[in-house]
Amino acid sequence: MVFTFNFNAEGKGEKRKLDQEEEIIEWKEAKEIFLKDEHFDRISSLMSIELFELGGADEVSEEELDKKTADPEGETDMKTADPEGGSADVTTVKQEKERHTLNFINSATVVTNLKSSKYEGDLTPALDEGTDLVPGVYEGGLKIWECSEDLVNYLYKEYTNKLEGKKVLELGCGAGLPGVFAFTQGAKVDFNDYNSEVLEEITIPNVLLNVPDESRRTETRFFSGDWASLNHLLQSEKLLGLDNQETDVTQAGEGGYDFILTSETIYNSSNHSKLIDIFKDQLISGGKVLVAAKTYYFGVGGGIREFHTELENRGFTVNLVYQSLHGVKRQILCAQLDS
């Protein structure tokens, strides 16, 4: 699958260097972004859309690597592991998966439209300067990062037909491909990106381009803003019982999501505690966090090994479930709170 990025190829896959001089950053307050008629108008006016072919990555999961080592003759190839237990016929699974693609809006098209409309706002650094990151202003949401592709392909491979009715939160979503896949599977998905304009221009159009058929009833919400503020907002909703339509009130701290997804969000170590806080507060008992990231973000300081340790120190059991086999080293961690 070939993506068209709206940034220079130089430095691809890395967040640009944070300012060496720590500045006081006023992080944006979280707020909900609602669907409006203009979102549907934007979709109807698109000249073309892109297709993301699910399952296209040639990397394999850690489980598959272990299987190949244990069974070099390939005798286990007739069955594929079910992450929830059991097994399924590979032929059936492959036939199901071959039918899957996701529609998405080309980010270069978004950039062109914003420039032609004389846009001025938080996305301006990305449009005019080609920068990937301005802390507290623009957090890279216009670009489709490699680890987002890893995560959506992992979900497709391990969770096809297993997400219906689940509640999912994607943090730092950008284009939102992992969350969009869960949405097509019948999950109730809440999307968060730091910039409301990213949600308006990219995430919401991508969701509308992938509405599942009527056999799968689903819901979605969109939130912009900082994770600490979002966590406070979600906690407040739980106290009021707004996150659970079947009960009048939900106890604080119980959490509300079966899955929390995030990719390319751990590049700034100073934000790790906020990210882990929202994991702890918003995950249901037995729920899973999937974190896709590069092993190390050069020039920034964050990395998946450091984050792995922080998760364990905060009470999570963490397993490596995927790693890239070539190019920039990338991994996916699965974290669950210790009971």
Side-chain angles (χ1 to χ4, degrees):
M1 176 64 193
V2 178
F3 280 99
T4 301
F5 295 121
N6 57 304
F7 297 95
N8 295 330
E10 182 180 357
K12 176 184 176 183
E14 296 182 9
K15 298 281 187 181
R16 295 183 185 272
K17 191 173 183 179
L18 296 171
D19 195 328
Q20 293 298 316
E21 296 183 1
E22 286 292 333
E23 298 180 358
I24 297 176
I25 298 173
E26 292 188 12
W27 297 100
K28 295 181 183 296
E29 185 176 347
K31 63 180 180 180
E32 185 166 3
I33 306 298
F34 296 95
L35 284 174
K36 295 174 284 191
D37 289 341
E38 64 187 62
H39 295 128
F40 295 93
D41 294 338
R42 190 172 295 141
I43 291 298
S44 62
S45 65
L46 287 175
M47 299 299 292
S48 64
I49 60 173
E50 303 290 326
L51 292 178
F52 182 88
E53 297 179 6
L54 292 163
D58 59 356
E59 288 87 353
V60 297
S61 66
E62 288 291 290
E63 292 90 340
E64 288 179 303
L65 290 173
D66 292 341
K67 281 185 181 180
K68 290 184 178 182
T69 302
D71 185 16
E73 301 300 322
E75 294 179 1
T76 61
D77 285 349
M78 292 304 295
K79 297 287 181 180
T80 184
D82 179 340
E84 302 297 334
S87 61
D89 184 87
V90 165
T91 302
T92 302
V93 173
K94 284 184 176 179
Q95 288 174 345
E96 175 69 20
K97 291 178 177 178
E98 284 171 358
R99 293 195 290 267
H100 281 85
T101 59
L102 295 179
N103 303 314
F104 71 98
I105 185 171
N106 191 313
S107 60
T109 301
V110 173
V111 170
T112 299
N113 292 340
L114 289 174
K115 286 183 175 181
S116 64
S117 66
K118 308 298 183 183
Y119 167 85
E120 291 185 4
D122 290 340
L123 305 187
T124 298
L127 306 183
D128 297 340
E129 303 168 22
T131 185
D132 297 341
L133 174 66
V134 179
V137 178
Y138 168 66
E139 295 287 334
L142 285 179
K143 185 173 181 176
I144 297 177
W145 297 87
E146 294 93 334
C147 292
S148 179
E149 298 179 41
D150 293 340
L151 184 53
V152 68
N153 279 316
Y154 176 78
L155 289 171
Y156 170 70
K157 191 169 188 178
E158 301 293 343
Y159 289 97
T160 291
N161 293 327
K162 300 182 187 302
L163 295 173
E164 188 162 5
K166 302 296 184 181
K167 192 174 179 186
V168 177
L169 171 65
E170 184 176 1
L171 297 170
C173 63
L177 295 183
V180 168
F181 172 73
F183 176 72
T184 67
Q185 294 289 296
K188 180 188 183 301
V189 185
D190 292 348
F191 293 88
N192 156 259
D193 193 88
Y194 185 74
N195 295 105
S196 60
E197 295 99 324
V198 169
L199 294 171
E200 300 265 11
E201 300 290 339
I202 294 183
T203 317
I204 291 175
N206 284 347
V207 171
L208 294 178
L209 287 170
N210 291 277
V211 175
D213 62 44
E214 294 181 359
S215 65
R216 280 180 161 147
R217 296 184 59 187
T218 187
E219 302 174 38
T220 187
R221 298 174 74 187
F222 304 91
F223 299 93
S224 65
D226 176 58
W227 293 323
S229 179
L230 175 64
N231 195 21
H232 178 74
L233 174 62
L234 294 175
Q235 288 290 80
S236 298
E237 287 194 354
K238 286 195 298 181
L239 287 171
L240 295 173
L242 298 180
D243 74 328
N244 190 334
Q245 300 301 317
E246 296 179 359
T247 59
D248 293 330
V249 67
T250 304
Q251 293 182 8
E254 281 188 356
Y257 295 95
D258 299 280
F259 291 90
I260 297 179
L261 314 175
T262 192
S263 58
E264 303 276 17
T265 53
I266 63 170
Y267 52 87
N268 186 349
S269 299
S270 65
N271 283 331
H272 286 184
S273 61
K274 290 190 288 189
L275 192 56
I276 296 174
D277 283 345
I278 202 168
F279 293 169
K280 293 196 71 170
D281 292 339
Q282 303 307 325
L283 199 66
I284 67 168
S285 176
K288 296 180 180 180
V289 177
L290 293 172
V291 180
K294 295 180 179 66
T295 303
Y296 186 75
Y297 290 89
F298 294 96
V300 180
I304 204 161
R305 292 174 183 172
E306 173 190 354
F307 195 67
H308 186 146
T309 300
E310 290 184 50
L311 283 168
E312 290 183 328
N313 290 340
R314 295 285 300 276
F316 285 86
T317 297
V318 185
N319 293 298
L320 174 66
V321 295
Y322 167 92
Q323 65 179 354
S324 63
L325 299 180
H326 57 76
V328 177
K329 291 184 178 179
R330 308 183 307 274
Q331 297 178 341
I332 297 177
L333 302 179
C334 178
Q336 291 181 278
L337 275 170
D338 296 337
S339 55

